[in-house]
């Protein structure tokens, strides 16, 4: 089945290359929302109306001018079991909303998994482009190009005054959500996030933890994205995000330097303990794993740990998520069983490298 | 029609009031009417607000007389059937025409969410072209009316040819 190849590896091909600023920025993503004219939004569409949208859009993507971008596979969500859906969510290839809410959802994925076009999510079309490191401009350019190609064959719901019309009023206008995933262990350790988050919010951006609930960010991973979609051009939105992320990178680097200068032993101890526990533990829950992996990654970035690449940590971060663990095990696991599996996977991976 | 007091929200209350033999028409939104109501009741004309809205001022009759009267909550998108109150509950539109049917109510909502209500970003290449052409067309048609009014028929004939060519172009760009 076509979907298997997208589930095998925890880390997508596009993530294997290091992007710019990859010691802090994990990935950049641009998602744009589009809808077809004269079709009810997915929320109110009947099954046959929703199927008509899938046929129309996927036909354009798979057989149309999109060939110049690459080859795409169409995956219907109704053909997937819950575990398979979970894995796609954990790899950020589909949204939680598409996995859980959509009745007639589908996704088309590019072979390297850098491009995911969701169909019948909240909107008819959601084009998502992922790049490693800080490459938010590149992600926008690619999404923009794909949008132009699709628009040659599809009639979009567009209004001169309101722009691209979307199911939710928070996406109307440009329909763009640009986001950057950053690893900020030093800013968290020095308690600076409480001060930083309101400042980021004030310039029209939002910050949220990638894993974990609410403001709690497991593994010190945060997603920073634009909030406003109407009344600003795409270029301004991208530039604003890029500028703020550059400042955050500078702050994180400064904090890391300070930590190394003032608390080298404590940091080395933290990193060493993380490595020790991760390579020896027999049981580890997701919260501890995320924290230890973050510590390990900090050690790699600070050159305190050698011989392990940061991409291994990225990979483990996804591999130790509940969906992926169970998919690999090929069965539903209790939380206790998951904690054992999680520890095993991490141990084996770290042993492989040494 | 917008509220004549704040000029922001749609006017949903339309009534006439006779003061000293002078007939005045009012078109207000609910909020402004409420605020005014307090003024009315505390002033010399001491009757409670709900009287203002009911029989005393022939409100019901005025409602029927004013074709523009709409209760914003029960306003419905003719295309998908979603009512404005359903939209408010879900926070989601049912179709792209909802934007047209709820236009007046949406203006303040967009301002609250985005601080803006006017798109200035990307315009789709294909349909964007026809939007531009349509604008041009309506401008030409306006000039044509002027020329006819001024009895400049030669000019008008030229314009008519131009309009025809443009209309042809628009129908082609729709493909
Ligand atoms: Zn008013
Ligand atoms: Zn509608």
């Amino acid at each position: 089945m076509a979907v298997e190849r997208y589930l095998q590896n925890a880390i997508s091909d596009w993530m294997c290359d290091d992007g710019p600023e990859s010691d802090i920025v994990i990935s950049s993503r641009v998602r744009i929302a589009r809808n077809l004219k004269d079709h009810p939004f997915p929320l109110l569409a009947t099954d046959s109306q929703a199927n008509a949208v899938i046929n129309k859009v996927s036909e354009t993507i798979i057989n149309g001018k999109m060939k110049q971008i690459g080859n795409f596979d169409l995956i219907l969500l109704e053909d997937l079991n819950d575990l398979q859906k979970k894995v796609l969510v954990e790899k950020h290839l589909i949204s939680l909303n598409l996995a859980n809410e959509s009745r007639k959802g589908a996704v088309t994925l590019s072979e390297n998994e850098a491009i995911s076009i969701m169909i019948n999510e909240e909107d008819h079309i959601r084009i998502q482009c992922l790049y490693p490191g800080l490459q938010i401009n590149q992600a926008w350019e690619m999404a923009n190009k794909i949008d132009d190609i699709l628009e040659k064959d599809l009639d979009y719901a567009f209004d001169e005054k309101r722009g691209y019309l979307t199911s939710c009023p928070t996406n109307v206008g440009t329909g763009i959500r640009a986001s950057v995933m950053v690893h900020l262990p030093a800013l968290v350790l020095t308690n600076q996030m409480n001060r930083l988050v309101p400042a980021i919010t004030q310039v029209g951006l939002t910050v949220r933890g990638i894993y974990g609930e609410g403001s709690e960010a497991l593994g010190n991973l945060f997603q920073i994205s634009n909030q406003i979609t109407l009344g600003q051009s795409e270029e301004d939105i991208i530039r604003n995000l890029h500028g703020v992320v550059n400042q955050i990178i500078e702050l994180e680097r400064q904090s890391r330097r300070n930590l190394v200068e003032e608390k080298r032993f404590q940091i080395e101890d933290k990193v060493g303990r993380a490595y020790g526990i991760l390579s020896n533990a027999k049981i580890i829950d997701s919260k501890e794993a995320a924290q230890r992996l973050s510590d390990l990654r900090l050690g790699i970035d600070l050159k305190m740990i050698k011989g392990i690449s940061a991409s291994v940590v990225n990979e483990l971060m996804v591999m130790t998520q509940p969906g992926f663990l169970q998919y690999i095990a090929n069965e539903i696991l209790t939380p206790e069983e998951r904690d054992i599996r999680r520890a095993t996977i991490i141990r084996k991976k770290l042993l492989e490298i040494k | 029609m917008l509220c004549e007091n704040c000029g922001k929200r749609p006017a949903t209350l339309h009534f006439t009031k006779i003061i000293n033999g002078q007939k005045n028409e009012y078109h207000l939104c609910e909020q402004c009417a409420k605020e005014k109501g307090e003024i009315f009741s505390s002033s010399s004309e001491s009757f409670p607000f709900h009287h203002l809205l009911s029989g005393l001022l022939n409100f019901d009759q005025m409602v029927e007389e004013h074709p523009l009267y709409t209760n914003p909550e029960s306003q419905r998108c003719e295309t998908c059937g979603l009512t404005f109150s359903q939209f408010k509950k879900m926070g989601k539109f049912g179709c792209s025409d909802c934007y047209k049917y709820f236009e007046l109510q949406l203006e303040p909502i967009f301002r609250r969410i985005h601080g803006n209500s006017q798109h200035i970003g990307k315009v789709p290449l294909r349909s964007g072209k026809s939007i531009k052409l349509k604008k041009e067309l309506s401008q030409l048609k306006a000039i044509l009316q002027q020329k006819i009014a001024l009895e400049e028929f030669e000019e008008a004939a030229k314009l008519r040819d131009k309009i025809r060519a443009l209309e042809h172009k628009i129908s082609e760009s729709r493909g």
Side-chain angles (χ1 to χ4, degrees):
Chain A
M1 191 183 153
V3 69
E4 292 300 332
R5 56 164 304 192
Y6 298 103
L7 303 172
Q8 295 302 326
N9 301 313
I11 189 159
S12 304
D13 280 356
W14 64 267
M15 269 298 288
C16 292
D17 306 317
D18 273 351
E21 325 287 357
S22 65
D23 55 331
I24 291 168
V25 182
I26 313 288
S27 59
S28 302
R29 180 180 73 170
V30 165
R31 182 226 74 195
I32 49 182
R34 297 290 186 254
N35 284 285
L36 303 182
K37 219 159 119 181
D38 305 326
H39 289 70
F41 292 151
L43 189 70
L44 290 191
T46 63
D47 282 1
S48 69
Q49 286 169 326
N51 279 330
V53 171
I54 294 181
N55 290 340
K56 208 165 178 166
V57 175
S58 64
E59 170 72 19
T60 304
I61 295 170
I62 291 170
N63 299 323
K65 301 172 189 89
M66 281 288 285
K67 281 260 184 264
Q68 64 186 93
I69 303 283
N71 289 322
F72 288 82
D73 280 315
L74 173 69
I75 298 163
L76 301 177
L77 270 280
E78 62 189 7
D79 292 341
L80 302 183
N81 62 39
D82 286 348
L83 274 185
Q84 292 172 319
K85 287 182 201 173
K86 256 200 180 106
V87 171
L88 292 179
V89 172
E90 286 167 3
K91 292 179 78 177
H92 304 289
L93 295 178
I94 64 172
S95 65
L96 196 60
N97 191 34
L98 188 78
N100 292 346
E101 305 295 330
S102 80
R103 257 178 313 119
K104 286 278 171 190
V107 62
T108 58
L109 295 172
S110 69
E111 283 168 336
N112 69 350
E113 304 176 8
I115 302 165
S116 141
I117 304 172
M118 286 180 270
I119 308 172
N120 288 337
E121 212 252 22
E122 188 181 288
D123 296 299
H124 292 141
I125 303 171
R126 291 231 165 150
I127 305 165
Q128 174 184 279
C129 298
L130 289 153
Y131 279 73
L134 183 59
Q135 301 192 70
I136 197 71
N137 285 312
Q138 288 82 343
W140 157 242
E141 275 163 27
M142 179 55 86
N144 192 23
K145 192 168 157 190
I146 292 168
D147 181 43
D148 286 344
I149 294 172
L150 294 186
E151 201 248 333
K152 282 185 184 145
D153 290 327
L154 302 171
D155 286 321
Y156 283 157
F158 180 85
D159 178 75
E160 263 182 275
K161 191 168 175 204
R162 307 295 189 203
Y164 293 93
L165 304 177
T166 54
S167 168
C168 185
T170 56
N171 292 318
V172 72
T174 54
I176 193 173
R177 193 77 62 208
S179 57
V180 172
M181 198 203 288
V182 286
H183 182 227
L184 306 175
L187 287 172
V188 172
L189 211 57
T190 53
N191 287 323
Q192 291 184 78
M193 283 311 284
N194 307 339
R195 199 172 48 85
L196 198 57
V197 170
I200 296 172
T201 311
Q202 229 162 35
V203 291
L205 302 177
T206 45
V207 189
R208 60 176 199 88
I210 302 270
Y211 303 105
E213 300 283 302
S215 59
E216 192 190 26
L218 286 185
N220 302 317
L221 290 169
F222 297 89
Q223 187 171 39
I224 302 169
S225 51
N226 68 298
Q227 196 164 19
I228 291 164
T229 57
L230 183 64
Q232 291 180 3
S233 71
E234 289 83 351
E235 285 72 20
D236 284 342
I237 289 168
I238 299 289
R239 201 177 304 123
N240 182 28
L241 178 65
H242 201 279
V244 170
V245 169
N246 269 331
Q247 289 180 44
I248 294 170
I249 291 172
E250 241 356 276
L251 287 173
E252 170 68 18
R253 287 217 176 107
Q254 186 59 48
S255 301
R256 287 184 188 185
R257 276 195 295 270
N258 293 348
L259 280 175
V260 170
E261 255 171 51
E262 293 158 21
K263 295 188 170 156
R264 173 169 268 279
F265 272 128
Q266 285 88 333
I267 299 299
E268 279 181 349
D269 178 69
K270 207 176 174 53
V271 171
R273 276 167 191 276
Y275 182 66
I277 286 168
L278 290 171
S279 35
N280 290 291
K282 297 279 167 116
I283 303 170
I284 194 165
D285 65 26
S286 60
K287 204 170 165 181
E288 183 179 3
Q291 184 56 51
R292 305 287 183 198
L293 285 169
S294 169
D295 293 346
L296 181 65
R297 200 189 153 123
L298 179 64
I300 294 167
D301 292 333
L302 293 176
K303 313 257 184 308
M304 290 172 177
I305 293 258
K306 302 211 170 78
I308 304 176
S309 76
S311 77
V312 169
V313 179
N314 292 341
E315 191 177 358
L316 281 173
M317 209 58 210
V318 176
M319 280 177 92
T320 55
Q321 296 298 312
F324 206 87
L325 278 178
Q326 298 179 79
Y327 174 74
I328 296 291
N330 205 12
E331 59 179 324
I332 304 290
L333 303 170
T334 65
E336 292 76 23
E337 289 171 326
R338 273 186 245 157
D339 292 350
I340 295 171
R341 289 264 180 178
R342 183 177 294 112
T344 310
I345 285 179
I346 297 173
R347 258 191 353 260
K348 268 170 79 183
K349 193 87 198 171
L350 293 179
L351 209 71
E352 256 170 45
I353 300 162
K354 281 282 151 170
Chain B
M1 177 186 282
L2 284 175
C3 166
E4 62 186 7
N5 189 53
C6 63
K8 281 181 198 147
R9 291 173 288 265
T12 53
L13 302 175
H14 312 271
F15 55 87
T16 33
K17 220 178 124 178
I18 298 161
I19 303 169
N20 301 331
Q22 188 100 46
K23 205 172 153 191
N24 292 301
E25 258 191 85
Y26 294 88
H27 306 279
L28 298 172
C29 70
E30 237 144 341
Q31 195 168 324
C32 291
K34 254 180 213 148
E35 281 163 21
K36 283 232 186 251
E38 282 169 19
I39 300 165
F40 286 143
S41 58
S42 64
S43 73
S44 56
E45 316 152 83
S46 57
F47 49 80
F49 178 64
H50 64 269
H51 285 170
L52 178 85
L53 296 185
S54 58
L56 268 176
L57 294 162
N58 289 334
F59 176 64
D60 291 344
Q61 190 194 335
M62 290 332 270
V63 167
E64 275 166 37
E65 274 179 30
H66 274 274
L68 283 174
Y69 175 81
T70 47
N71 176 355
E73 297 302 310
S74 66
Q75 184 135 336
R76 187 180 285 273
C77 167
E78 304 273 324
T79 308
C80 72
L82 194 80
T83 64
F84 186 67
S85 73
Q86 283 174 317
F87 160 72
K88 281 210 308 199
K89 232 174 271 160
M90 299 191 302
K92 305 273 153 73
F93 296 109
C95 76
S96 50
D97 287 345
C98 289
Y99 282 86
K100 252 187 285 168
Y101 286 101
F102 306 146
E103 162 130 44
L104 288 178
Q105 293 98 308
L106 289 177
E107 184 76 24
I109 292 176
F110 290 142
R111 287 187 178 279
R112 212 176 319 127
I113 300 173
H114 300 283
N116 269 300
S117 61
Q118 172 78 49
H119 176 63
I120 57 166
K122 183 174 179 178
V123 171
L125 296 174
R126 202 161 41 87
S127 53
K129 216 182 275 166
S130 77
I131 286 173
K132 251 208 256 156
L133 293 177
K134 264 189 254 166
K135 257 190 186 163
E136 224 178 294
L137 183 69
S138 64
Q139 275 168 356
L140 285 181
K141 279 182 174 166
I143 301 173
L144 176 67
Q145 288 310 313
Q146 284 173 10
K147 297 289 174 202
I148 291 171
L150 295 169
E151 301 191 349
E152 294 173 12
F153 295 117
E154 216 170 299
E155 286 286 306
K158 271 186 212 158
L159 271 169
R160 218 172 259 130
D161 289 344
K162 255 192 195 169
I163 287 169
R164 234 170 257 142
L166 203 55
E167 276 170 342
H168 185 67
K169 218 166 149 189
I170 289 169
S171 71
E172 270 202 335
S173 77
R174 279 203 186 118

